[in-house]
Amino acid sequence: MESVLDSVQRHCGSQLKDYGACIDIHQPNFEAPCLAFKQALTLCAETNVASVREVKTRCLAQIQAYENCVQGNKDDTPSKCADSIRALYACTHRDDATAAHSLAGVASSPSSSPSLPSSS
């Protein structure tokens, strides 16, 4: 299964490269100078990568809560927004856990498990 980042790279490689280069050049205060590059990457990913659209729809409440927390706690985002980022992470990785459990169930079924040679 292709990862989201691989899909974004495949569909939006030039936007990803441009945004990354802008961040590198404007560290540590890259937000304002790189906003147009970030918006171009976001638009490309939302348009061309179905999993990005799905996560943004499914996790809208968690995304908004995290963004509100960051805006309200610019001086202490890591400690003040830990719960918001945990909730967002859990939402965005919900399908990964479901897929992992499904794969584990398939792998543990007798008909799909490989036979080991006997030691006799």
Side-chain angles (χ1 to χ4, degrees):
M1 183 167 77
E2 184 176 47
S3 75
V4 173
L5 187 55
D6 290 338
S7 294
V8 171
Q9 174 65 41
R10 184 166 45 89
H11 293 287
C12 308
S14 64
Q15 293 87 348
L16 187 60
K17 181 180 173 188
D18 291 346
Y19 183 48
C22 185
I23 290 171
D24 289 343
I25 292 167
H26 292 93
Q27 283 292 339
N29 299 311
F30 62 88
E31 290 87 359
C34 301
L35 182 59
F37 293 110
K38 178 182 178 182
Q39 290 170 333
L41 175 58
T42 299
L43 179 61
C44 180
E46 288 174 347
T47 302
N48 296 299
V49 182
S51 56
V52 170
R53 285 191 307 273
E54 193 275 327
V55 165
K56 287 193 83 160
T57 300
R58 184 185 60 200
C59 302
L60 182 61
Q62 292 85 348
I63 291 168
Q64 289 174 334
Y66 177 70
E67 288 175 352
N68 291 339
C69 185
V70 169
Q71 289 300 316
N73 297 288
K74 290 187 181 208
D75 295 333
D76 195 16
T77 297
S79 65
K80 300 286 184 183
C81 300
D83 289 341
S84 295
I85 197 68
R86 280 188 203 97
L88 179 55
Y89 180 88
C91 182
T92 61
H93 288 79
R94 186 174 63 199
D95 284 345
D96 291 347
T98 302
H101 290 302
S102 295
L103 289 174
V106 169
S108 64
S109 69
S111 62
S112 63
S113 296
S115 299
L116 296 176
S118 71
S119 58
S120 17

